[in-house]
Amino acid sequence: MGRYARTIVDLGTGDGAAVLRTARQNPSALVIGVDTDASSLREPSRRAARPIRKGGVPNALFLVADASVVLTALRGRVQELRITLPWGSLLRLVLEGERSFAHAVAGSV
């Protein structure tokens, strides 16, 4: 993360389209997409890993992980956090105000 000016994290990234778009628009930022569904991250991960001349996006990273774990690991290193239309367990964490998740969010940015 040291070579990037800032870090943007997208929780519940789904198909990864928003992460790829954001990374292309912000080449000086490391854009991390996090989702618990590995199958949804395979294709955007492949696209990001291509050579730049073939549309690769070297500043996009995809992680299969629990949102709270990632935010805790990135504590104090995230400049922007995005949660777009959360659903499933992530939606429950947001709507129910899960205390540990709230602390992870607060500590990451």
Side-chain angles (χ1 to χ4, degrees), residues 47-104:
R47 282 186 270 157
R50 291 177 186 158
I52 294 173
R53 70 185 188 289
K54 293 188 176 191
V57 189
N59 61 320
L61 174 68
F62 294 94
L63 300 175
V64 177
D66 176 87
S68 295
V69 172
V70 170
L71 293 177
T72 299
L74 294 176
R75 185 171 191 86
R77 296 184 180 116
V78 177
Q79 285 71 47
E80 187 175 327
L81 179 64
R82 297 177 177 190
I83 305 173
T84 307
L85 299 172
W87 59 279
S89 60
L90 184 56
L91 177 60
R92 283 191 297 282
L93 289 172
V94 171
L95 291 179
E96 294 172 1
E98 171 68 34
R99 187 176 180 85
S100 62
F101 179 71
H103 283 289

Side-chain angles (χ1 to χ4, degrees), residues 23-45:
R24 283 186 186 105
Q25 293 169 347
N26 299 277
S28 66
L30 174 61
V31 185
I32 303 171
V34 180
D35 206 296
T36 56
D37 180 14
S39 64
S40 69
L41 298 181
R42 281 189 192 107
E43 184 54 33
S45 237

Side-chain angles (χ1 to χ4, degrees), residues 4-22:
Y4 294 102
R6 63 193 188 119
T7 302
I8 301 169
V9 174
D10 183 77
L11 299 179
T13 200
D15 68 3
V19 169
L20 293 172
R21 183 175 51 255
T22 301

